[in-house]
Coordinates of all heavy atoms in Angstrom, one line a residue:
A425 N 95.7 106.4 75.4 CA 96.5 107.5 76.2 C 96.0 107.6 77.6 O 96.5 108.5 78.3 CB 96.4 108.8 75.4
D426 N 94.8 106.9 78.0 CA 94.3 107.0 79.4 C 95.3 106.7 80.5 O 96.1 105.7 80.3 CB 93.0 106.1 79.5 CG 92.4 106.4 80.8 OD1 92.8 105.7 81.8 OD2 91.4 107.0 80.8
P427 N 95.6 107.5 81.5 CA 96.5 107.2 82.6 C 96.3 105.8 83.2 O 97.3 105.2 83.5 CB 96.4 108.3 83.5 CG 95.6 109.4 82.8 CD 94.8 108.8 81.7
L428 N 95.2 105.4 83.3 CA 94.9 104.1 83.9 C 95.5 103.0 83.0 O 96.1 102.0 83.5 CB 93.5 103.8 84.2 CG 93.1 102.4 85.0 CD1 93.8 102.4 86.2 CD2 91.6 102.4 85.1
T429 N 95.2 103.1 81.6 CA 95.9 102.1 80.8 C 97.3 102.1 80.9 O 98.0 101.0 80.9 CB 95.5 102.5 79.4 OG1 94.0 102.6 79.3 CG2 95.9 101.5 78.3
H430 N 97.9 103.2 81.0 CA 99.4 103.3 81.2 C 99.8 102.6 82.5 O 100.8 101.8 82.4 CB 99.8 104.8 81.2 CG 101.3 105.0 81.4 ND1 102.3 104.6 80.5 CD2 102.0 105.4 82.4 CE1 103.5 104.8 81.0 NE2 103.3 105.3 82.2
L431 N 99.2 102.9 83.6 CA 99.6 102.3 84.8 C 99.4 100.8 84.8 O 100.2 100.0 85.3 CB 98.7 102.9 86.0 CG 99.1 104.3 86.5 CD1 98.1 104.8 87.5 CD2 100.5 104.3 87.1
L432 N 98.4 100.3 84.3 CA 98.1 98.9 84.3 C 99.1 98.1 83.4 O 99.5 97.0 83.6 CB 96.7 98.5 83.7 CG 95.5 99.1 84.6 CD1 94.2 98.6 84.0 CD2 95.6 98.6 86.0
G433 N 99.6 98.8 82.3 CA 100.6 98.2 81.5 C 102.0 98.2 82.1 O 102.9 97.5 81.5
S434 N 102.2 98.8 83.2 CA 103.5 99.0 83.8 C 103.8 97.9 84.7 O 105.0 97.9 85.3 CB 103.6 100.3 84.4 OG 102.8 100.4 85.6
W435 N 102.9 97.1 85.0 CA 103.1 96.0 86.0 C 102.5 94.7 85.5 O 101.5 94.6 84.9 CB 102.3 96.3 87.4 CG 102.7 95.4 88.4 CD1 103.6 95.5 89.4 CD2 101.9 94.2 88.9 NE1 103.6 94.4 90.2 CE2 102.5 93.7 89.9 CE3 100.7 93.7 88.3 CZ2 102.0 92.5 90.6 CZ3 100.2 92.5 89.0 CH2 100.9 92.0 90.1
S436 N 103.4 93.6 85.8 CA 103.0 92.3 85.2 C 103.1 91.3 86.4 O 104.2 91.2 87.1 CB 103.9 91.9 84.1 OG 103.8 90.5 83.9
L437 N 102.0 90.5 86.6 CA 102.0 89.4 87.7 C 103.1 88.4 87.2 O 103.8 87.9 88.2 CB 100.7 88.9 87.8 CG 100.7 87.6 88.8 CD1 101.0 88.0 90.2 CD2 99.2 87.1 88.7
E438 N 103.3 88.1 86.0 CA 104.2 87.0 85.5 C 105.6 87.5 86.0 O 106.4 86.6 86.4 CB 104.0 86.8 84.2 CG 104.8 85.5 83.6 CD 104.3 84.3 84.2 OE1 103.0 84.1 84.4 OE2 105.1 83.3 84.4
R439 N 106.0 88.7 85.6 CA 107.3 89.2 85.9 C 107.4 89.2 87.4 O 108.6 88.9 88.0 CB 107.5 90.6 85.3 CG 107.6 90.6 83.8 CD 108.3 91.9 83.3 NE 107.4 93.1 83.7 CZ 106.5 93.5 82.9 NH1 106.2 92.9 81.6 NH2 105.8 94.6 83.2
A440 N 106.4 89.7 88.2 CA 106.6 89.7 89.7 C 106.8 88.2 90.2 O 107.7 88.1 91.2 CB 105.3 90.3 90.2
R441 N 106.1 87.3 89.6 CA 106.3 85.9 90.2 C 107.7 85.4 89.9 O 108.5 84.9 90.8 CB 105.4 85.0 89.4 CG 104.0 84.9 89.9 CD 103.1 84.1 89.0 NE 103.7 82.7 88.8 CZ 103.1 81.7 88.0 NH1 102.1 82.1 87.3 NH2 103.6 80.6 88.0
D442 N 108.3 85.7 88.7 CA 109.6 85.3 88.4 C 110.7 85.9 89.4 O 111.5 85.3 89.9 CB 109.9 85.6 86.9 CG 109.1 84.8 86.0 OD1 108.6 83.7 86.3 OD2 109.1 85.2 84.7
A443 N 110.4 87.2 89.5 CA 111.3 88.0 90.4 C 111.3 87.5 91.9 O 112.3 87.4 92.6 CB 111.1 89.5 90.4
T444 N 110.0 87.1 92.3 CA 109.9 86.6 93.7 C 110.6 85.3 93.8 O 111.2 85.0 94.9 CB 108.4 86.5 94.0 OG1 107.8 87.8 94.0 CG2 108.2 85.8 95.3
W445 N 110.5 84.3 92.9 CA 111.1 83.1 92.9 C 112.7 83.3 93.1 O 113.3 82.6 93.9 CB 110.7 82.2 91.8 CG 111.3 80.8 91.9 CD1 112.3 80.2 91.2 CD2 111.0 79.7 92.9 NE1 112.6 78.9 91.5 CE2 111.9 78.7 92.6 CE3 110.2 79.8 94.0 CZ2 111.8 77.6 93.5 CZ3 110.2 78.7 94.8 CH2 110.9 77.4 94.5
S446 N 113.2 84.2 92.3 CA 114.6 84.4 92.3 C 114.9 85.0 93.8 O 116.0 84.6 94.4 CB 115.0 85.4 91.3 OG 114.9 84.8 90.0
A447 N 114.1 85.9 94.2 CA 114.4 86.4 95.5 C 114.3 85.5 96.6 O 115.1 85.5 97.6 CB 113.4 87.6 95.8
A448 N 113.4 84.6 96.6 CA 113.2 83.5 97.5 C 114.4 82.6 97.6 O 115.1 82.3 98.6 CB 112.1 82.7 97.4
R449 N 115.0 82.2 96.5 CA 116.2 81.4 96.3 C 117.3 82.1 96.9 O 118.2 81.6 97.6 CB 116.4 81.0 94.9 CG 115.3 80.0 94.4 CD 115.6 79.7 93.0 NE 116.8 78.9 92.9 CZ 117.7 79.0 91.8 NH1 117.3 79.9 90.8 NH2 118.8 78.4 91.7
A450 N 117.5 83.5 96.6 CA 118.5 84.2 97.1 C 118.6 84.4 98.6 O 119.6 84.2 99.3 CB 118.6 85.6 96.4
L451 N 117.4 84.6 99.1 CA 117.2 84.7 100.6 C 117.6 83.4 101.3 O 118.2 83.5 102.4 CB 115.8 85.2 101.0 CG 115.5 86.7 100.8 CD1 114.0 86.8 101.0 CD2 116.3 87.5 101.8
W452 N 117.2 82.3 100.7 CA 117.6 81.0 101.4 C 119.0 80.8 101.3 O 119.6 80.3 102.2 CB 116.7 80.0 100.6 CG 117.0 78.6 101.2 CD1 117.7 77.5 100.7 CD2 116.5 78.2 102.5 NE1 117.6 76.5 101.6 CE2 116.9 76.9 102.7 CE3 115.7 78.8 103.4 CZ2 116.6 76.0 103.8 CZ3 115.3 78.1 104.6 CH2 115.8 76.7 104.8
A453 N 119.7 81.2 100.2 CA 121.1 81.0 100.1 C 121.8 81.9 101.1 O 123.0 81.6 101.5 CB 121.6 81.3 98.6
L454 N 121.2 83.1 101.4 CA 121.8 84.0 102.3 C 121.5 83.9 103.8 O 121.9 84.6 104.6 CB 121.5 85.5 101.9 CG 122.0 86.0 100.6 CD1 121.3 87.3 100.3 CD2 123.5 86.2 100.6
R455 N 120.7 82.7 104.0 CA 120.2 82.6 105.4 C 121.2 82.5 106.5 O 120.9 82.9 107.7 CB 119.3 81.4 105.5 CG 120.0 80.0 105.3 CD 119.0 79.0 105.2 NE 119.6 77.6 105.1 CZ 120.2 77.1 104.0 NH1 120.3 77.9 102.9 NH2 120.7 76.0 103.9
R456 N 122.4 82.1 106.3 CA 123.5 82.1 107.3 C 124.2 83.4 107.4 O 125.1 83.6 108.2 CB 124.4 81.0 107.0 CG 123.8 79.6 107.1 CD 124.8 78.4 106.8 NE 124.1 77.1 106.9 CZ 123.5 76.5 105.9 NH1 123.6 77.1 104.6 NH2 123.0 75.4 106.0
F457 N 123.9 84.3 106.5 CA 124.6 85.6 106.5 C 123.5 86.7 106.9 O 122.9 87.3 106.0 CB 125.2 86.0 105.1 CG 126.2 84.9 104.7 CD1 125.8 83.8 103.8 CD2 127.6 84.9 105.2 CE1 126.6 82.9 103.4 CE2 128.4 83.9 104.7 CZ 127.9 82.9 103.9
E458 N 123.2 86.8 108.1 CA 122.1 87.6 108.6 C 122.0 89.0 108.1 O 121.0 89.6 107.7 CB 121.9 87.5 110.1 CG 121.6 86.1 110.6 CD 121.3 86.1 112.1 OE1 121.3 87.1 112.7 OE2 121.2 85.0 112.6
D459 N 123.3 89.7 108.3 CA 123.3 91.1 107.8 C 123.0 91.3 106.4 O 122.2 92.2 106.0 CB 124.7 91.7 108.2 CG 124.9 91.7 109.7 OD1 124.0 91.6 110.5 OD2 126.1 92.0 110.1
V460 N 123.5 90.4 105.5 CA 123.3 90.5 104.1 C 121.9 90.2 103.8 O 121.2 90.9 103.0 CB 124.2 89.7 103.3 CG1 124.0 89.7 101.9 CG2 125.7 89.9 103.7
A461 N 121.4 89.2 104.5 CA 119.9 88.8 104.2 C 119.0 90.0 104.6 O 118.0 90.2 103.9 CB 119.6 87.6 105.0
E462 N 119.3 90.6 105.7 CA 118.4 91.7 106.2 C 118.4 92.9 105.2 O 117.5 93.5 104.9 CB 118.9 92.1 107.6 CG 118.5 91.2 108.7 CD 118.9 91.6 110.1 OE1 119.5 92.8 110.1 OE2 118.8 90.8 111.0
E463 N 119.7 93.1 104.7 CA 119.8 94.2 103.8 C 119.1 94.0 102.5 O 118.3 94.8 101.9 CB 121.3 94.5 103.5 CG 121.5 95.7 102.5 CD 122.9 95.9 102.3 OE1 123.8 95.4 102.9 OE2 123.2 96.7 101.3
F464 N 119.2 92.7 102.0 CA 118.5 92.2 100.9 C 117.0 92.4 100.9 O 116.3 92.9 100.1 CB 118.9 90.8 100.5 CG 118.3 90.3 99.2 CD1 119.0 90.3 98.1 CD2 117.0 89.7 99.2 CE1 118.6 89.8 96.8 CE2 116.5 89.3 98.0 CZ 117.2 89.3 96.8
T465 N 116.5 91.9 102.1 CA 115.0 92.0 102.4 C 114.6 93.5 102.4 O 113.5 93.8 101.9 CB 114.7 91.3 103.7 OG1 115.2 90.0 103.7 CG2 113.3 91.3 104.0
A466 N 115.4 94.3 103.1 CA 115.0 95.7 103.2 C 114.9 96.3 101.8 O 114.1 97.2 101.5 CB 115.9 96.5 104.1
R467 N 115.9 96.1 101.0 CA 115.9 96.7 99.6 C 114.8 96.1 98.7 O 114.0 96.8 98.0 CB 117.3 96.4 99.0 CG 118.4 97.2 99.6 CD 119.7 96.9 98.9 NE 120.7 97.7 99.5 CZ 121.1 98.9 99.3 NH1 120.3 99.7 98.5 NH2 122.1 99.6 100.0
L468 N 114.5 94.8 99.0 CA 113.3 94.2 98.2 C 112.0 95.0 98.7 O 111.2 95.3 97.8 CB 113.3 92.7 98.5 CG 112.0 91.9 97.9 CD1 112.1 92.0 96.4 CD2 111.9 90.5 98.5
D469 N 111.9 95.1 100.0 CA 110.6 95.7 100.6 C 110.5 97.2 100.0 O 109.4 97.5 99.5 CB 110.8 95.8 102.1 CG 109.5 96.2 102.9 OD1 108.4 96.2 102.2 OD2 109.7 96.5 104.0
S470 N 111.6 97.9 100.0 CA 111.6 99.3 99.5 C 111.2 99.3 97.9 O 110.4 100.1 97.6 CB 112.9 100.0 99.8 OG 112.9 101.3 99.2
A471 N 111.9 98.5 97.2 CA 111.6 98.5 95.8 C 110.1 98.1 95.5 O 109.4 98.8 94.5 CB 112.5 97.5 95.0
V472 N 109.5 97.2 96.1 CA 108.2 96.8 95.9 C 107.3 97.9 96.4 O 106.2 98.2 95.7 CB 107.9 95.4 96.7 CG1 106.4 95.1 96.6 CG2 108.7 94.3 96.0
G473 N 107.6 98.6 97.4 CA 106.8 99.8 97.9 C 106.8 100.8 96.9 O 105.8 101.5 96.7
F474 N 107.9 101.0 96.3 CA 108.0 102.1 95.2 C 107.1 101.8 94.1 O 106.4 102.6 93.5 CB 109.4 102.2 94.7 CG 109.6 103.3 93.7 CD1 109.7 104.6 94.0 CD2 109.8 102.9 92.3 CE1 109.9 105.6 93.0 CE2 109.8 103.9 91.3 CZ 110.0 105.2 91.7
A475 N 107.1 100.6 93.6 CA 106.2 100.1 92.5 C 104.8 100.3 92.9 O 103.9 100.7 92.1 CB 106.5 98.5 92.1
G476 N 104.4 99.9 94.1 CA 103.0 100.1 94.7 C 102.6 101.6 94.7 O 101.5 101.9 94.4
R477 N 103.6 102.5 95.0 CA 103.2 103.9 95.0 C 102.8 104.3 93.6 O 101.9 105.1 93.4 CB 104.4 104.7 95.5 CG 104.3 106.1 95.5 CD 103.3 106.7 96.6 NE 103.9 106.4 97.9 CZ 103.2 106.8 99.0 NH1 102.0 107.3 98.9 NH2 103.6 106.5 100.2
M478 N 103.5 103.8 92.7 CA 103.3 104.2 91.3 C 102.0 103.6 90.8 O 101.1 104.3 90.2 CB 104.3 103.6 90.3 CG 105.8 104.2 90.5 SD 105.9 106.0 90.3 CE 105.8 106.6 92.0

Side-chain angles (χ1 to χ4, degrees):
D426 186 275
L428 182 60
T429 305
H430 176 74
L431 281 175
L432 298 183
S434 68
W435 187 84
S436 162
L437 177 60
E438 191 64 33
R439 289 196 298 268
R441 280 175 57 188
D442 291 345
T444 292
W445 183 247
S446 296
R449 293 178 62 214
L451 281 169
W452 184 251
L454 293 170
R455 65 191 182 281
R456 295 185 181 88
F457 305 95
E458 292 185 9
D459 291 348
V460 180
E462 287 179 7
E463 181 178 352
F464 184 97
T465 301
R467 291 184 181 276
L468 175 66
D469 190 18
S470 178
V472 173
F474 180 78
R477 178 71 65 180
M478 295 302 99

